[in-house]
Amino acid sequence: MGIFNRSKSDTDTTASNPAQAAGVATAVADAPVSVDLTGDYTIDPSHSRLGFSARHAMVTTVRGAFGEFTGTAHIDAANASASTVALSIPVSTISTGSADRDGHLVSADFFDVENHPSITFTSTDVKRSGDDWAITGDLVIKGTSKSVTIDFESTGTATDPFGNQRAGFEGSTTINRKDWGLTWNAALETGGVLVSEKIKLEFDISAIKNV
């Protein structure tokens, strides 16, 4: 029975038992506070990560991330379809822990950064079910636009020491890089290829609500 639907006997018992009354008060105080997510946000790149991973030589996983990006979002908690997201990533900021590999990735074999300096994502549809969000949008890589859906989970809200209201989200999706013209590969003597076609994209987002 909820604490706001107690019978008279429950109330009498609580009133006559100070320890129980204190426990009820503590439970109410500790209840999570609902924060309205609705508003305009700017993604904080210093506390966010846009990462990716791919299988290498069929036996291990190489992980990387983009060091710079800009993004905005409009969140409508009551009407998710009215929400929007836009993201721009300078390809030259790619980092996998190997300068040689990073140089190869920005070359014409892969991203061709001289002719296609940015990756962009613009949402076209947003759906919500509780803390789960599905954001569909146009992902443009190397001049090719394809629709992708990224599943996100809301990880909570907080007010930081500087008074900023933050909202956190974690998400991921898997794409086939060949769909965007990233076709370079090398065959292995033992069979298979050097770089997997499937790439997992990973998002850890901290967004600041605009004042």
Side-chain angles (χ1 to χ4, degrees), residues 56-121:
H56 180 264
M58 311 295 289
V59 298
T60 191
T61 299
V62 170
R63 294 177 173 82
F66 292 94
E68 296 179 15
F69 45 88
T70 57
T72 58
H74 172 74
I75 300 177
D76 190 322
N79 180 19
S81 63
S83 302
T84 58
V85 178
L87 186 67
S88 181
I89 308 167
V91 178
S92 61
T93 66
I94 196 168
S95 176
T96 63
S98 166
D100 288 342
R101 181 165 54 226
D102 295 345
H104 192 196
L105 287 172
V106 299
S107 74
D109 282 345
F110 284 95
F111 288 106
D112 190 11
V113 69
E114 288 190 7
N115 294 303
H116 305 284
S118 298
I119 294 171
T120 63
F121 176 84

Side-chain angles (χ1 to χ4, degrees), residues 43-44 47-51 69 152 169-171 202-206:
I43 295 175
D44 177 8
H47 295 95
S48 301
R49 179 178 182 271
L50 304 185
F69 45 88
F152 281 92
F169 297 88
E170 292 182 355
E202 303 156 331
F203 305 85
D204 293 295
I205 302 298
S206 178

Side-chain angles (χ1 to χ4, degrees), residues 3 34-35 48 52 91 152 157 176 178 186 188 202:
I3 61 174
S34 177
V35 176
S48 301
F52 58 88
V91 178
F152 281 92
T157 60
N176 188 321
K178 291 180 67 176
L188 302 175
E202 303 156 331

Side-chain angles (χ1 to χ4, degrees), residues 168-185:
F169 297 88
E170 292 182 355
S172 65
T173 193
T174 299
I175 64 173
N176 188 321
R177 62 187 178 90
K178 291 180 67 176
D179 292 341
W180 283 267
L182 304 176
T183 58
W184 185 92
N185 226 324

